[in-house]
Amino acid sequence: YRSYCETVHAVDENVGRVLSHLENSGLAKETLVLYIGDNGFELGEHGFYDKRDAFEESMRVPLLAWAPGNLNAGSKIKKMVMNIDMASAILDFYGLKAPASADMDGSSFKPLMEGKDIPWREHILYEYHWEWNFPAVPTTLAIRNERYKYIYYHGIWDRNGFYDLKTD
């Protein structure tokens, strides 16, 4: 846990250096910085120390957006944004369109970053497929909306779960 915290501290210091450079060089107002993890991570929650499950600590991915003068500082998006939305949002932020041949599945969440209430996805799907290196973690499938989540485990000892995310 201490090593984890030291790593987070080092990342924080170095991201701060990048943001300071953007501000000091005059590039901040024309720059969008998206800082995203590859996954969430459990540090003992649910008895786990890993990232290969559909609990919120693992399923939710940290994402920070920084664009002074273009985004409201301290705002929080409550809609379900996914990694497939990143490219569309970046292109939209700079007023660019993806070529039709790109056939992108994601949607721009730029309006959400600007505080606008727009129609958005109602659910997301999660899947983790069993890996040889992690034999104790079964194939896991889940569907989640803003309130509920169902988790299906493909394993003989695992119990499926249905969760009310507001009360559980």
Side-chain angles (χ1 to χ4, degrees):
Y1 181 79
R2 180 183 171 138
S3 295
Y4 182 88
C5 290
E6 288 173 346
T7 301
V8 170
H9 179 71
V11 169
D12 181 57
E13 284 182 331
N14 286 292
V15 168
R17 290 174 58 210
V18 170
L19 299 182
S20 291
H21 171 74
L22 291 170
E23 288 175 335
N24 295 335
S25 66
L27 296 171
K29 297 235 185 239
E30 59 190 60
T31 302
L32 168 65
V33 175
L34 294 176
Y35 184 82
I36 183 170
D38 69 335
N39 54 264
F41 200 86
E42 289 159 339
L43 295 171
E45 295 89 353
H46 312 285
F48 296 127
Y49 190 81
D50 198 52
K51 60 183 182 179
R52 293 168 183 84
D53 62 60
F55 289 117
E56 291 299 286
E57 294 82 5
S58 174
M59 196 174 181
R60 295 177 66 89
V61 176
L63 168 65
L64 301 173
W66 183 84
N70 294 298
L71 301 177
N72 297 329
S75 61
K76 184 176 181 180
I77 296 174
K78 297 190 181 208
K79 304 281 187 187
M80 296 176 288
V81 173
M82 298 173 63
N83 58 353
I84 60 172
D85 300 322
M86 296 299 130
S88 296
I90 293 167
L91 290 171
D92 191 15
F93 186 83
Y94 289 106
L96 303 171
K97 300 242 184 251
S101 61
D103 193 25
M104 296 168 65
D105 289 328
S107 300
S108 173
F109 61 96
K110 179 182 178 242
L112 298 175
M113 289 192 290
E114 296 170 332
K116 296 176 182 164
D117 187 21
I118 60 169
W120 197 251
R121 70 175 51 89
E122 295 182 11
H123 67 275
I124 58 172
L125 302 173
Y126 170 93
E127 56 185 305
Y128 170 80
H129 296 276
W130 182 87
E131 296 176 85
W132 185 259
N133 292 337
F134 305 98
V137 183
T139 292
T140 305
L141 307 172
I143 185 167
R144 179 196 192 281
N145 66 21
E146 290 188 20
R147 173 138 192 201
Y148 300 104
K149 178 171 33 180
Y150 176 73
I151 304 174
Y152 169 80
Y153 296 101
H154 184 74
I156 58 173
W157 62 86
D158 299 295
R159 293 188 177 168
N160 301 333
F162 180 73
Y163 301 92
D164 181 333
L165 300 171
K166 290 190 179 185
T167 62
D168 288 348

